[in-house]
C-alpha cells in the first residue's frame, strides 16, 4: 500500500486523518454515548486521540487494516471513522469497525460510510468476507449492518475484554457474493 486511498460518497470524503483533525476527533471520542460500545473508555485527553491515530497508522503500515476518517464534504470536519482491522489476507477477510459522533446518529452517514468501505474492501483488498462484531445491547449498530446486508451468524460469549469487563459479541458477516444477490 503506497498512497492512502480517498473514498468519496454523496456527502462524505473518507480519508486519512491528520493532526489537524485531533480536536474534531476528541469531540466524539470523549463522548461516553459514542464510546459505550467501542470497548474503550471515553477519551480524556488529546494525547489519547494521538495514540488512536498512531494505531490507525500502524495497522495501515502493517497491512492488517485501514481506518478512514469520515469527513463531511461541506466542512472537511471529521465526525467519525470507519475501516478494517484484523485483516487476514490469507483468508480474504477482515473485521469492520466504525464510530460516529452522536450529533450525526440517524442521518444515514454511518450507512453511507460503511457502504463505501465495504465496496473498497471487496474491490481493492480482495476481501471475500467482512465481519462485524457487535455487543448484544447495541441495537442501532445491529440494525445498521443488517440494512447494509450483513447476516447475523451467532453469539461469541466473552469474546473481548475491554473497559474492565468481558463482552459478548454478535458476529455478523457480509460476503462478496451477497452484494450481487
Amino acid at each position: 500500500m503506497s498512497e492512502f486511498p480517498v473514498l468519496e460518497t454523496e456527502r462524505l470524503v473518507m480519508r486519512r486523518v491528520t493532526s489537524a483533525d485531533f480536536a474534531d476527533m476528541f469531540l466524539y471520542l470523549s463522548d461516553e454515548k459514542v464510546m459505550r460500545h467501542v470497548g474503550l473508555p471515553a477519551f480524556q485527553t488529546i494525547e489519547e486521540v494521538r495514540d488512536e491515530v498512531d494505531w490507525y497508522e500502524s495497522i495501515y503500515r502493517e497491512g492488517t487494516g485501514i481506518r478512514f476518517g469520515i469527513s463531511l464534504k461541506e466542512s472537511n470536519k471529521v465526525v467519525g471513522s470507519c475501516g478494517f482491522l484484523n485483516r487476514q489476507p490469507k483468508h480474504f477477510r477482515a473485521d469492520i469497525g466504525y464510530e460516529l459522533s452522536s450529533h450525526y446518529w440517524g442521518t444515514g452517514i454511518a450507512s453511507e460510510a460503511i457502504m463505501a468501505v465495504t465496496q473498497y474492501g471487496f474491490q481493492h483488498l480482495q476481501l471475500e468476507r467482512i465481519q462485524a462484531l457487535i455487543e448484544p445491547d447495541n441495537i442501532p449498530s445491529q440494525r445498521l449492518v443488517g440494512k447494509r446486508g450483513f447476516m447475523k451468524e451467532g453469539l461469541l460469549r466473552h469474546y473481548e475484554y475491554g473497559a474492565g469487563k468481558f463482552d459478548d459479541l454478535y458476529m455478523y458477516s457480509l460476503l462478496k457474493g451477497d452484494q450481487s444477490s
Side-chain angles (χ1 to χ4, degrees), residues 17-31:
V17 294
T18 69
S19 57
D21 301 310
F22 288 1
D24 290 338
M25 294 174 70
F26 183 72
L27 290 174
Y28 65 84
L29 292 171
S30 64
D31 182 343

Side-chain angles (χ1 to χ4, degrees), residues 22-23 25-27 29-30 41-52:
F22 288 1
M25 294 174 70
F26 183 72
L27 290 174
L29 292 171
S30 64
F43 287 18
Q44 302 295 312
T45 67
I46 289 285
E47 190 59 36
E48 289 173 292
V49 176
R50 181 182 314 279
D51 292 345
E52 181 77 357

Side-chain angles (χ1 to χ4, degrees), residues 52-113:
E52 181 77 357
V53 172
D54 286 348
W55 176 72
Y56 295 175
E57 291 297 322
S58 73
I59 64 172
Y60 181 67
R61 195 173 43 253
E62 295 162 5
T64 60
I66 185 169
R67 195 70 166 214
F68 296 91
I70 302 170
S71 69
L72 303 173
K73 273 187 180 177
E74 65 187 35
S75 66
N76 199 32
K77 178 181 176 178
V78 173
V79 297
S81 77
C82 184
F84 297 115
L85 62 153
N86 300 325
R87 182 173 172 228
Q88 300 288 325
K90 176 182 174 182
H91 299 292
F92 301 88
R93 75 171 180 248
D95 297 348
I96 192 167
Y98 47 87
E99 75 275 328
L100 182 67
S101 167
S102 59
H103 299 292
Y104 296 93
W105 290 358
T107 64
I109 286 177
S111 183
E112 205 171 309

Side-chain angles (χ1 to χ4, degrees), residues 25 39 42-43 51 73 77 83 88 94 110 118-119 129 139 148 151 155 171 176:
M25 294 174 70
F43 287 18
D51 292 345
K73 273 187 180 177
K77 178 181 176 178
Q88 300 288 325
T118 56
Q119 287 175 346
R129 175 187 171 91
I139 305 300
R148 293 274 35 112
M151 293 180 59
L155 180 68
M171 172 69 78
K176 188 175 190 173

Side-chain angles (χ1 to χ4, degrees), residues 120-150:
Y120 174 80
F122 291 135
Q123 293 171 3
H124 299 281
L125 299 180
Q126 285 72 51
L127 296 176
E128 173 64 22
R129 175 187 171 91
I130 297 171
Q131 324 181 135
L133 297 163
I134 303 172
E135 291 179 0
D137 63 343
N138 190 349
I139 305 300
S141 193
Q142 291 178 54
R143 282 192 200 117
L144 173 63
V145 297
K147 286 179 183 171
R148 293 274 35 112
F150 284 72

